[in-house]
Amino acid sequence: MPNETAPSITREKLIDLLNEDLSREFQAIIAYVNYSQVLKGAAYMNIAEELAVHATEELAHAIILSNQIDYLGGMPTTVPKPVRTSEKAEDMLRFDLEAENETIRNYRRRIKQCDELGEFATAEQIRQILIQEQDHQTALATALGINVPNVGIAD
């Protein structure tokens, strides 16, 4: 008989973590809607338009996560994480970039956790979300004139 070890994560823990991810998606929707409308100045017009697009993509992510949470037998959360605001455009973009960095770290970890539990379809859904999150990260870093951060995987 092969030496198989029990997964280090349970389905219940995965549901809790996916609900945290969903709270972050709700946070991102609110932030992107807000920031896209209040960014001022010619230098920020292109990124403001892009943030509005990001908001719709984050909504799609929230729907996917809600579906996966339901599939796993959980109840999707309705509570967003708090949104940071500022009067300064650069601060808003930095807040968004920090949030995307955290989201990317968490999704990379979540994929491994899903794979470990044999939830391969959920992992695949998150991989598709991750592609867009990395695009958001690149757009924000570019708007800030910095290199795209190497964020690794959340522990």
Side-chain angles (χ1 to χ4, degrees), residues 44-102:
Y44 297 104
M45 288 304 94
N46 285 342
I47 191 65
E49 289 175 19
E50 193 158 344
L51 295 183
V53 172
H54 289 188
T56 64
E57 292 171 345
E58 301 293 3
L59 175 58
H61 301 167
I63 292 169
I64 291 166
L65 288 175
S66 294
N67 177 269
Q68 294 304 305
I69 292 165
D70 178 66
Y71 166 78
L72 292 168
M75 174 60 76
T77 188
T78 60
V79 181
K81 294 210 176 273
V83 177
R84 296 165 65 190
T85 58
S86 174
E87 297 292 318
K88 298 178 183 169
E90 189 170 327
D91 287 348
M92 288 184 259
L93 296 176
R94 284 193 188 283
F95 295 159
D96 275 344
L97 181 58
E98 289 167 13
E100 290 292 357
N101 291 343
E102 181 180 1

Side-chain angles (χ1 to χ4, degrees), residues 109-121:
R109 181 79 183 122
R110 211 69 69 239
I111 290 164
K112 288 183 171 214
Q113 292 163 332
C114 288
D115 284 345
E116 185 179 343
L117 277 176
E119 295 296 343
F120 303 115

Side-chain angles (χ1 to χ4, degrees), residues 9-20 68-69 72-75:
I9 187 170
T10 63
R11 182 176 265 225
E12 292 73 25
K13 180 63 176 173
L14 179 62
I15 290 167
D16 290 344
L17 292 169
L18 290 170
N19 264 316
E20 285 182 31
Q68 294 304 305
I69 292 165
L72 292 168
M75 174 60 76

